[in-house]
Amino acid sequence: MQVFNFCAGPAMLPPAVMQQAQAEFINWQDQGVSVMEVSHRGKPFIALANQAEADLRELMNIPDDYHVLFMHGGGRGQFAAIAQNFLGDNGKALYLTSGQWSKSAVAEARKFADVDELDITFATEDGKGAKFPALDPSQGDYRYVHYCPNETVDGIEIFEEPNAPWPVIADMSSCILSREIDVSKYGLIYAGAQKNIGPSGLALVIVRKDMLKLPKLAMPSIADYQITADADSMFNTPPTYAMYLASLVFKWLKAEGGVKAIEQKNIRKAATLYDYIAKSDFYTNGVATENRSRMNATFQLLNSELDGEFLQQAEKAGLLALKGHRIVGGMRASLYNAMPEQGAIALVAFMDKFAKANQ
Ligand SMILES: *Cc1c(COP(=O)(O)O)cnc(C)c1O
């Protein structure tokens, strides 16, 4: 049976990448050993790391005045690292909140420094939305403003590019590489890998070089951007197997036509699902039209007593991990880059069948 995995994270990886990883699992580049068994200081692995960085730079059009760092500790590791790297000498920062992840980011930053929080959500007739606000330098002396363009749990995505009088830091864990962005609009972009990049544990950081001049706090060396940059992301042993898989995902994405092409595919997948829900009197979506996430489509059954039955039958039909996050309930279909268009089509076909059988 064909299975489609809608898990929000760790998420499915492209089947072609998994097959290549399987084929070379115990014999990488004819060395007779796995890529996870070789030194990160050896020529073959350094070549892999350099190629991964070059491919990512090409995919995202990253300017030369930005470092690309491969770090440990996933997305949440960066919640702390950002405050530690930039908020020394009593520095302040502004955190915009639009859902679960941006709220978690503020809570972590507060352990280290004095930060302000601004709720950027609003309610319309069709649901909850969020907007990057107009900001004025007189609002505060901030080292940076942090926000989360795609709230993975809530299904709220902000598509407009940010504009602020301070450097913008974006948690792109669940939307990186899903659509074209202008990297030069950001002081720092980061992402846990397990949605659009590779396995969990790895974190990707894209940081403008001048940001590293900001005063920092005392912190573990592995969290320090300057130390990581100076060591080409190899201050200590990097998560080599995760980097290998990320390198294959970047190559796959280039072969798919890059970010521009995958964005068109992502638009079609999301439209397949949202257009169906909009027409339905059995399912509903509580997010404002302009903020409906392309990566994490949240939806509810109007009769929530059928939730359990829906999930059970979906799983039997090979449609996995559709249960919404425990905090918000309902359903969530994550449609990351690796999800084929047939996945969205199969989901809608199942939803329609289930609705007709239970109307
Ligand atoms: C998944 C996710 C995280 C957390 O990533 P971890 O690797 O589990 O720490 C942070 N922010 C967003 C937006 C996410 O989707």
Side-chain angles (χ1 to χ4, degrees), residues 93-135:
L94 177 63
Y95 279 70
L96 309 178
T97 52
S98 50
Q100 296 301 327
W101 282 116
S102 49
K103 283 184 199 152
S104 294
V106 191
E108 187 74 6
R110 285 225 163 99
K111 292 185 182 170
F112 303 100
D114 185 14
V115 302
D116 288 341
E117 181 179 344
L118 181 65
D119 186 332
I120 57 166
T121 58
F122 59 81
T124 64
E125 246 173 41
D126 50 334
K128 194 172 171 185
K131 193 173 168 57
F132 197 98
L135 297 166

Side-chain angles (χ1 to χ4, degrees), residues 75-259:
R76 274 186 191 272
Q78 294 306 312
F79 291 176
I82 288 161
Q84 292 171 318
N85 275 275
F86 302 137
L87 296 179
D89 290 350
N90 296 314
K92 286 190 78 170
L94 177 63
Y95 279 70
L96 309 178
T97 52
S98 50
Q100 296 301 327
W101 282 116
S102 49
K103 283 184 199 152
S104 294
V106 191
E108 187 74 6
R110 285 225 163 99
K111 292 185 182 170
F112 303 100
D114 185 14
V115 302
D116 288 341
E117 181 179 344
L118 181 65
D119 186 332
I120 57 166
T121 58
F122 59 81
T124 64
E125 246 173 41
D126 50 334
K128 194 172 171 185
K131 193 173 168 57
F132 197 98
L135 297 166
D136 188 88
S138 67
Q139 281 170 272
D141 187 14
Y142 298 123
R143 297 259 169 85
Y144 61 83
V145 50
H146 178 283
Y147 85 120
C148 180
N150 185 59
E151 286 284 2
T152 322
V153 171
D154 310 76
I156 295 177
E157 184 159 6
I158 299 168
F159 293 96
E160 298 82 33
E161 301 268 22
N163 186 15
W166 316 284
V168 176
I169 296 187
D171 175 1
M172 294 203 186
S173 294
S174 53
C175 60
I176 194 160
L177 294 167
S178 71
R179 54 182 160 89
E180 288 189 300
I181 58 154
D182 179 355
V183 173
S184 72
K185 293 236 159 52
Y186 302 85
L188 185 149
I189 291 166
Y190 67 101
Q194 67 273 29
K195 282 86 185 220
N196 262 340
I197 297 171
S200 60
L202 176 68
L204 186 69
V205 175
I206 300 163
V207 58
R208 206 173 56 224
K209 290 176 180 168
D210 66 356
M211 295 285 292
L212 304 192
K213 297 200 185 91
L214 290 170
K216 47 188 164 181
L217 296 161
M219 75 188 110
S221 299
I222 59 161
D224 189 310
Y225 297 139
Q226 189 67 61
I227 290 175
T228 306
D230 290 345
D232 292 326
S233 299
M234 295 191 192
F235 166 71
N236 72 330
T237 315
T240 53
Y241 199 72
M243 284 173 71
Y244 156 77
L245 282 168
S247 79
L248 297 186
V249 169
F250 298 155
K251 276 194 204 137
W252 167 82
L253 189 49
K254 278 175 67 177
E256 289 285 298
V259 175

